[in-house]
Each structure stands twice: as C-alpha cells, then as structure tokens.
Amino acid sequence: MRRISPVIVPLLLAVSACSSASKQGEQAQDGQAHSGSPDQAAEQAQVQPEPKPAPAAEAPAGPRVEIGNRGEPCQRTLCIAGPGPLDQGANRDLRELCHQSPGVVRRCEGQGDEQVCFSLWSGQDWREGMDGLITSMDQDGDGKVGEGDPACSIYAVGWSTGATLAGDALPKALADDPRVGEGRGEIERMVLIAPYAPGQDTLEIPGSVRNAWIYRNTKSPEGDCSRAFEGGPWFSPKPVCGEGTQCWDYDYSYEPQLAFLSRQGARSGAVIGHCNMASVVAKIGLFNLIGGQEAWADQTPRFSDGTPSGAERRHPDEPPGLRLPPPNMD
C-alpha cells in the first residue's frame, strides 16, 4: 500500500474545501437569479433541450401578389402593359422602369429558385393588380383603406393600351371602389407612354390624378411596329387635364435631330415611335415617379405645343439627384 506524503494531505483538504465553497456559491447565485424556492431554483437550473424552430412559412406556389421595393413613407406603383408578351419588346422596357419603382405591385408564381415575378400587369388582369394594391394598403385588416391605415401615395404607369387603362380606367375604378375611403384612391404621380385607344381623339385625365407625365409622338417612323397593327400606325390621343391635375405633355416628333438615350442606345426623335418609346422613357421615368419632377431638359422632347421642356441643370455634370431603390429584378 502506497503512503501519502504528509505535505500532500493538507493540499487535498484545501482543494476539497475550495470546490465545496465554489459549488455553494454557484447554488446561492442561481437561487438569487430565479428568486424562488430552492426546489424551484434547482428545477430551473437544469439544462432543458432547445425548442425546435418553427418551420419558415413558404409562399404559395400559385399566383399571388407581392410588393417590391417597400419603404417609408408608404408608396405603391401599379404598371399596366400594352399588347404582346410581358417579357418582350416594349413591355420588357416598361418592366425595366417598373421594377425600380417604389412599392411596385408584382404578380409572382413559384417558390425559391423557381419563383418568377412580373412588375407589370396585362390589360386583361390589371384589376387583379388593383385588388392587390388595395389589400396591401389595408394595414389594419378591416377590409377597407381608411383612417385606420397609414397614408399611402399611389403611382400609375402604362404603355400603349395599358397607358390608356392607367390614365382613365384605373383612376375611375379606385375612386368608385367601396373599399377605398374618400381621398385614399387619388393617384399622386402617373407616367403614360404612347397611350392608345382605338377611335379616341382625346384622353381625359380624371380629377383624382394629381400629376401626369405623358410621352407621345404625332409622326410615325417608317420602322414603327404599330404600322402592322390593326388601324396602324398608332398615335396617342391628346390628353385633357382638369384644373386639379398638373400635366406635362411631351411630343418626340418635335425633335427629329436630337438624340435621346434609350435602353438600346441613343435614338433620334425621328425614329421614336409607338413601339420603341418605352425604351427611352425607361431611362427618365424615375425622375417623375420617385422625384416628382421633370427630367433634365437635354433628356426630354418639347411639349406638344412646341415649347421647351425639362428641368435646367445648374452645371453640365449635375447628376439626377435621385435616390433609387435597390434593384428588384423580376
């Protein structure tokens, strides 16, 4: 049998005493933290398994409405396409403008990597988009947009036949909808690109629209695709705005020599027609929607009465001064 050195025995006793005191101190601290009986403190001090996290809610795979580029204050943008597929031609150019617009009402399908969203609505389902717009503004969930909901600015954008819907049918539908309280259906800003309606010479902008920027042409270039449309080439009706609406009515046909930047490079006014105008306005429309102002004078054509248009730069290299939302690609 091995003998323990007399020097080691006191050390072992001291270590044992320290360990006992440490455990008592931990128990005392634990009891103070739980402020209950010793038995309750002991039960709470036991290690409990962490609860399993609740599964993340998955978006439905079917068609649904989502709001892109959310921010404060509340803003909503509804875009209505013209004829043709939503992802081709002028509609694709319109889509480029709309996906950067504040609070854009989007139609989405699928989940995860297979999700596909469009920031514009066809002429057949624009009312579905309007329903989504109204529902998204109903923050208190009472089925109506009224005093219990925060104020929300509404913007509307459209090209071709979609521009006519955005400029006429949409404002009237919002004003007449029983879910929308008085004054809550007004459209603060509107951008209409080459609006068209068969047999219509004028386009009356309802009084519920505060500001409208209308881009159109009065001469058709040889290569304009609307020449092949029924009743083509297509020209826009003259907008008629009431006293309560501020309108900017532009005509690209007044600037045949001036080059305008577009999504497909520079285009002269002489070649801008019904079908490629959206690619030009896509470059400046955010001045109207986000800034509530005209684009620079060297980026806009003359007004339809021939007078100069656009905001003057204070110096040649002055930037637009607009804070764009983060891209929300469809």
Side-chain angles (χ1 to χ4, degrees):
M1 180 177 181
R2 297 181 61 185
R3 297 179 62 185
I4 300 177
S5 169
V7 177
I8 297 178
V9 172
L11 291 175
L12 292 175
L13 292 175
V15 171
S16 176
C18 289
S19 176
S20 176
S22 176
K23 290 180 179 179
Q24 291 176 0
E26 291 173 357
Q27 293 174 355
Q29 292 176 0
D30 190 66
Q32 293 174 359
H34 293 284
S35 66
S37 67
D39 291 339
Q40 291 173 335
E43 291 175 0
Q44 294 177 6
Q46 294 178 1
V47 178
Q48 299 293 335
E50 294 185 4
K52 294 182 179 180
E58 292 186 356
R64 62 190 180 279
V65 174
E66 292 186 0
I67 305 300
N69 303 327
R70 286 180 180 268
E72 296 294 338
C74 177
Q75 298 167 302
R76 294 291 183 268
T77 303
L78 184 65
C79 298
I80 306 178
L86 299 183
D87 58 352
Q88 296 180 19
N91 284 330
R92 183 65 182 90
D93 296 322
L94 178 67
R95 183 178 169 189
E96 178 69 17
L97 168 62
C98 292
H99 90 264
Q100 297 185 76
S101 300
V104 61
V105 182
R106 309 193 307 167
R107 185 180 191 275
C108 298
E109 295 185 29
Q111 298 175 338
D113 294 338
E114 297 182 355
Q115 175 172 289
V116 177
C117 293
F118 285 90
S119 293
L120 63 162
W121 299 77
S122 73
Q124 289 71 45
D125 59 11
W126 68 270
R127 288 185 178 275
E128 181 183 344
M130 186 189 75
D131 289 340
L133 180 149
I134 294 173
T135 300
S136 73
M137 296 193 302
D138 176 22
Q139 297 294 308
D140 60 7
D142 65 353
K144 296 184 178 181
V145 180
E147 295 181 356
D149 304 301
C152 197
S153 298
I154 301 175
Y155 309 145
V157 186
W159 168 68
S160 187
T161 52
T164 303
L165 291 171
D168 181 28
L170 174 61
K172 291 178 179 177
L174 284 171
D176 294 339
D177 197 298
R179 296 170 295 174
V180 182
E182 184 177 357
R184 292 303 186 99
E186 293 183 352
I187 296 179
E188 180 65 25
R189 298 167 187 169
M190 174 181 288
V191 175
L192 306 181
I193 307 170
Y196 177 73
Q200 193 168 317
D201 295 328
T202 59
L203 174 62
E204 293 192 13
I205 307 298
S208 59
V209 177
R210 302 274 72 83
N211 300 280
W213 289 266
I214 302 101
Y215 299 87
R216 60 192 182 106
N217 62 301
T218 51
K219 296 180 181 180
S220 179
E222 289 297 326
D224 186 33
C225 72
S226 74
R227 288 180 174 271
F229 296 168
E230 182 178 355
W234 286 5
F235 294 107
S236 300
K238 181 178 177 59
V240 178
C241 302
E243 294 182 358
T245 305
Q246 175 67 50
C247 282
W248 292 264
D249 178 21
Y250 304 99
D251 185 352
Y252 280 102
S253 299
Y254 266 110
E255 305 287 2
Q257 304 301 322
L258 185 61
F260 299 92
L261 184 64
S262 78
R263 293 189 64 240
Q264 286 81 35
R267 297 179 184 274
S268 70
V271 300
I272 295 177
H274 188 86
C275 297
N276 59 14
M277 192 180 302
S279 69
V280 180
V281 180
K283 288 294 186 180
I284 60 175
L286 291 180
F287 276 89
N288 314 145
L289 293 175
I290 297 179
Q293 65 186 60
E294 285 192 272
W296 301 127
D298 57 4
Q299 297 175 320
T300 58
R302 291 177 180 269
F303 290 125
S304 61
D305 62 1
T307 58
S309 70
E312 293 296 331
R313 298 180 190 264
R314 286 168 291 188
H315 54 81
D317 298 327
E318 183 174 22
L322 294 177
R323 182 192 300 176
L324 300 184
N328 192 356
M329 291 300 293
D330 297 333

